[in-house]
Amino acid sequence: QYSFQENGWGASLAERLVRKCDVVNRGLSGYNTRWAKLILPRLISRSTGAENTVAVTIFFGANDSALKDLNPKQHVPLEEYAANLKSMIQYLKSIDITEDRIILITPPPLQESAWEKECVAKGNKLNRCNATTGEYAQACVQVARDCGTDVLDLWTLMQKNQDFSSYLSDGLHLSTKGNSFLAAQLWSRLDKKLSALPWLLPYWRDVDHVDPEASLL
């Protein structure tokens, strides 16, 4: 949901792809794969132009990996998380969005001390831990292997820089730097798929101003 805010990774991709294709944001703050699996057919269907879809990203795990005892509302067991991702991929395939157009994104790492401050400020205990998030990230990577989709392992890539805290605004959500990092990593995968897309409508200098219909219709 936050990907279309100022400096968000979704907004960055939309800017890169202007006049080539529309970037549609269907992120929902706080949702997990259990809920997303149920609403996916409402978000993407044949009637909403699935045949013209050039890429779909599936980005879940930060909420699913919440600790069951401390956050049962968002928590989804690891095995169910993997099954839900597979179910969403199977649904997309059923409406003819093939594996090569699907990109899974793992949850980013969790900076526990920063997120604990956010939890304590709301009267709660730390309700996530990075090691557990990593298990969900590994499961996401394995689902991609099993299903033949691409995957962006954000959890691993961000921790190659040992101090990954700058990628996160509050220990959980992406900062401006984290959004830029994700956008760059995702673009390196999308560029191959989307570089051949033509511009929609001619450049203004190429429009015949005497007979615009000849250029535009």
Side-chain angles (χ1 to χ4, degrees):
Q1 180 175 323
Y2 303 132
S3 72
F4 266 51
Q5 65 189 359
E6 187 176 4
N7 299 315
W9 63 272
S12 175
L13 291 176
E15 183 179 8
R16 279 181 179 262
L17 291 167
V18 69
R19 289 186 66 173
K20 287 198 168 188
C21 66
D22 295 325
V23 177
V24 180
N25 176 13
R26 291 293 181 264
L28 297 160
S29 176
Y31 273 51
N32 57 30
T33 56
R34 183 181 291 163
W35 305 343
K37 179 182 73 170
L38 297 176
I39 63 169
L40 183 59
R42 195 189 315 172
L43 304 180
I44 305 176
S45 67
R46 280 196 175 91
S47 64
T48 55
E51 72 278 2
N52 294 320
T53 300
V54 291
V56 176
T57 60
I58 301 176
F59 187 10
F60 285 97
N63 295 319
D64 297 69
S65 63
L67 302 176
K68 181 179 180 180
D69 293 343
L70 295 170
N71 190 349
K73 187 176 181 73
Q74 291 178 301
H75 169 79
V76 172
L78 184 61
E79 296 77 13
E80 183 187 344
Y81 166 74
N84 290 341
L85 289 177
K86 289 181 180 179
S87 176
M88 286 189 271
I89 292 168
Q90 289 302 318
Y91 169 73
L92 293 173
K93 288 172 63 180
S94 78
I95 58 169
D96 299 324
I97 297 176
T98 51
E99 301 97 321
D100 60 309
R101 288 185 279 164
I102 300 170
I103 303 173
L104 302 188
I105 306 174
T106 75
L110 180 80
Q111 216 286 316
E112 292 178 14
S113 59
W115 184 242
E116 185 172 23
K117 290 178 183 177
E118 297 290 322
C119 294
V120 169
K122 296 175 182 176
N124 301 316
K125 295 180 180 179
L126 177 65
N127 58 18
R128 289 166 169 81
C129 72
N130 192 39
T132 302
T133 303
E135 293 175 3
Y136 283 70
Q138 289 171 10
C140 180
V141 171
Q142 188 60 52
V143 167
R145 289 184 185 138
D146 293 344
C147 295
T149 71
D150 202 349
V151 63
L152 173 52
D153 186 358
L154 208 55
W155 190 84
T156 298
L157 288 169
M158 282 188 166
Q159 290 184 96
K160 285 186 176 179
N161 173 1
Q162 289 188 340
D163 180 17
F164 60 88
S165 59
S166 62
Y167 291 129
L168 305 166
S169 63
D170 55 8
L172 176 66
H173 300 98
L174 298 176
S175 64
T176 296
K177 183 178 178 182
N179 273 282
S180 296
F181 182 84
L182 173 51
Q185 291 291 331
L186 198 52
W187 184 251
S188 70
R189 290 157 171 79
L190 289 171
D191 191 23
K192 290 174 280 186
K193 302 176 191 292
L194 307 182
S195 60
L197 287 175
W199 259 33
L200 299 172
L201 297 173
Y203 182 54
W204 72 271
R205 291 187 185 277
D206 298 328
V207 175
D208 184 340
H209 68 284
V210 176
D211 184 14
E213 289 86 351
S215 301
L216 303 176
L217 298 181

